[in-house]
Amino acid sequence: MHDTYRPDAADRKLLDLLQTNARITIEALSEAAGLSTSATHRRLQRLRDQRIILGDISVLDPRKLGNPITLLVELELERDRPELMPTLQAWIAATPSVQQAWQVTGRGDLMLVVVAGSVEDFDALMERMMEHNRNIRKFTTSVALKTLKRGLRLPLPQAG
């Protein structure tokens, strides 16, 4: 079992603010958390060193960048070919159109979130995926009709 990090009030404030706006200034962070700028720097460095903060990103609008279609893709794998899994994982990691991927329970083995510019682009991507990953038995696709929520913001545990 993983140890759960229990942030104190100042770390909770810093993490909450950074999840909302990673471009917030150190001065604004320090003021909101009631810390000096040097104390805030130290805390942020510790949170990065402990891999609580994994990275700072900008969230882009896929529609404005030519990827208006979001698809949920469930993959079923050949269960007797586990040695091929690293190849599939590397393909997923190297494919920008695959936004997220999870190994899951249930009918399928993996669930992917994929963006595409068109149905034709998606079909070509899936052809490449099947061609390069012989352990995929089949895939099932659902097209997202409307985005109701998109984000990576996590609820923060209370101090304990």
Side-chain angles (χ1 to χ4, degrees):
M1 182 157 192
H2 299 294
D3 291 328
T4 300
Y5 169 68
R6 298 279 180 204
D8 63 17
D11 279 0
R12 259 194 320 280
K13 188 66 176 173
L14 294 174
L15 292 169
D16 188 52
L17 289 167
L18 287 170
Q19 286 190 97
T20 304
N21 177 9
R23 293 180 60 184
I24 189 170
T25 66
I26 195 74
E27 292 79 13
L29 277 172
S30 300
E31 184 177 327
L35 300 169
S36 68
T37 56
S38 61
T40 301
H41 273 292
R42 283 192 304 274
R43 282 176 179 263
L44 291 175
Q45 188 59 52
R46 178 180 43 81
L47 292 167
R48 287 183 172 98
D49 290 347
Q50 293 176 346
R51 309 245 333 123
I52 305 297
I53 297 175
L54 298 176
D56 301 301
I57 64 167
S58 294
V59 179
L60 308 179
D61 184 337
R63 290 179 176 278
K64 291 181 180 174
L65 294 169
N67 292 297
I69 303 171
T70 300
L71 307 109
L72 307 176
V73 181
E74 182 179 54
L75 303 180
E76 289 184 37
L77 305 179
E78 297 292 346
R79 301 213 193 291
D80 59 345
R81 308 283 311 269
E83 73 278 5
L84 296 176
M85 191 62 170
T87 301
L88 177 57
Q89 289 173 329
W91 186 89
I92 289 169
T95 305
S97 293
V98 178
Q99 297 290 289
Q100 297 180 38
W102 299 283
Q103 194 164 7
V104 297
T105 62
R107 185 180 51 203
D109 300 296
L110 298 173
M111 183 65 73
L112 311 179
V113 176
V114 177
V115 295
S118 67
V119 172
E120 293 79 15
D121 291 345
F122 175 72
D123 284 343
L125 178 70
M126 292 298 98
E127 283 181 28
R128 287 192 305 275
M129 179 186 71
M130 296 298 284
E131 186 178 301
H132 290 95
N133 298 285
R134 299 291 178 192
N135 60 326
I136 299 172
R137 184 178 340 161
K138 74 174 193 172
F139 66 90
T140 306
T141 304
S142 297
V143 177
L145 299 176
K146 184 176 184 180
T147 301
L148 301 176
K149 181 178 181 179
R150 174 177 290 147
L152 297 173
R153 188 175 181 160
L154 295 174
L156 297 172
Q158 296 302 309

